[in-house]
């Protein structure tokens, strides 16, 4: 699948009043006031949708919610940014109309979701968010490889002037200072994706596996993207993984990631993330369950590709018991993936859905019943 990126970023539209914006304590960007009306939007179904989950997509979800309210008078979304684990469990428990997660459903989750829905559940990736490796070392610009990052996050490398870091940062004045790892204390798809990256890119240095719980065994925990990025900003000598928008909004230093194709390291930005997304593959080609094969990201063969990209999913029923809920979910998601709405996401630290992939999203959304 050859995914092409969307074009130029459109201007943000400020709203002075919206019936409802997404609800969260994690919102750090301008998404709470940004929206784009979608001309000709089909506004159907019940007036209020409820959803919860991934904090990594919260700023994007706020833009989506505002755009939905602006495009469809009288229709709103309540989104609670309480983490991917809660998003999945609340959806499968029938508490919400759809869930947000940084990782696709696992086997047990599929079974619970199908029992809740009375039909298959689908993963719809509406938001792509790069994961930054953020750190706090005054005046130091770092580049680090997968093996070195793995050894930092599993406690094998404990000081900033360790020979492995020095070798990858020749000529940089590294402090003789202890490294403090900050990790997500809550269940998080961001943690899952970052550990999958370490597992794939570390050449065997990471043996702790993946999953939504951090397994490195070192460091201090903080809740949510807001918690870990806030801890980095306040505490010298720290390092963490966090969704790009939070690192951008707090002006944190970010590691250039060394890949086999880029020994000098790849800076995290929209262009380098777009190169990676263009190489994306689907695990279930030919179905509407649009799970991204992220293994195609982690050890890129193309130069200029940032390797740690997080697809964020909206988890939906393929067929809802209530047709009014199905219609509202279709209406909301069609607005969320619309080109004019997606084009606003870059300022919030996300990568707009590639044009070719949007067609697959629209096909899947149209078949929600």
């Amino acid at each position: 699948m050859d995914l092409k990126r969307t074009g130029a970023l459109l201007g943000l539209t400020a709203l002075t009043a919206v019936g409802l914006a997404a609800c969260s304590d994690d919102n750090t960007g301008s998404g709470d006031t940004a929206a784009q009306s979608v001309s000709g939007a089909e506004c159907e179904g019940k007036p209020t949708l409820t959803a919860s989950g991934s904090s990594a997509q919260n700023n994007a979800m706020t833009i989506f919610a505002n755009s939905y309210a602006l495009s469809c008078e009288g229709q709103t979304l309540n989104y609670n940014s309480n983490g991917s684990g809660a998003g999945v469990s609340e959806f499968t428990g029938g508490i919400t109309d759809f869930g947000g997660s940084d990782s696709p459903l696992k086997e047990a989750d599929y079974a619970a979701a199908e029992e809740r829905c009375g039909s298959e559940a689908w993963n719809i990736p509406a938001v792509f968010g790069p994961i930054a490796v953020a750190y706090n070392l005054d005046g130091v610009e770092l580049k680090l490889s997968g093996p070195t990052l793995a050894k930092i996050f599993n406690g094998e490398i404990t000081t900033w002037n360790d020979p492995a870091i020095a070798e990858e940062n020749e000529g940089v004045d590294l402090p003789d200072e202890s490294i403090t790892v900050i990790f997500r204390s809550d269940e998080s798809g961001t943690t899952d994706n970052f550990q999958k990256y370490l597992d794939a890119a570390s050449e065997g240095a990471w043996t702790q596996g993946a999953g939504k719980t951090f397994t490195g065994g070192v460091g201090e925990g903080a809740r949510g993207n807001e918690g870990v990025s806030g801890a980095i900003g306040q505490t010298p000598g720290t390092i963490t993984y966090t969704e790009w928008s939070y690192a951008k909004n707090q002006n944190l230093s970010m590691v250039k990631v060394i890949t086999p194709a880029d020994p000098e390291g790849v800076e995290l930005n929209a262009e380098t993330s777009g190169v990676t997304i263009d190489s994306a593959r689907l695990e279930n080609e030919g179905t509407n369950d649009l799970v991204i094969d992220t293994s195609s990201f982690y050890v890129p063969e193309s130069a200029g590709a940032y390797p740690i990209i997080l697809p964020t999913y909206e988890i939906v029923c393929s067929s809802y018991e209530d047709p009014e809920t199905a219609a509202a979910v279709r209406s909301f998601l069609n607005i969320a993936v619309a080109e004019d709405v997606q084009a606003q996401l870059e300022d919030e630290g996300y990568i707009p859905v590639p044009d070719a992939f949007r067609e697959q999203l629209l096909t899947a959304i149209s078949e929600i019943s």
Side-chain angles (χ1 to χ4, degrees), residues 3-35:
L3 306 183
K4 302 301 181 184
R5 280 176 289 158
T6 54
L9 182 70
L10 301 183
L12 300 181
T13 302
L15 291 182
T16 55
V18 174
L20 182 67
C23 303
S24 172
D25 295 331
D26 256 355
N27 187 24
T28 62
S30 61
D32 57 340
T33 57

Side-chain angles (χ1 to χ4, degrees), residues 259-262 266 272 274-276 278-279 296-297 299-307:
T259 74
D262 285 283
V266 182
T272 59
V275 172
T276 308
D278 281 347
S279 69
S296 60
F297 294 170
V299 188
E301 298 177 359
S302 301
Y306 184 80

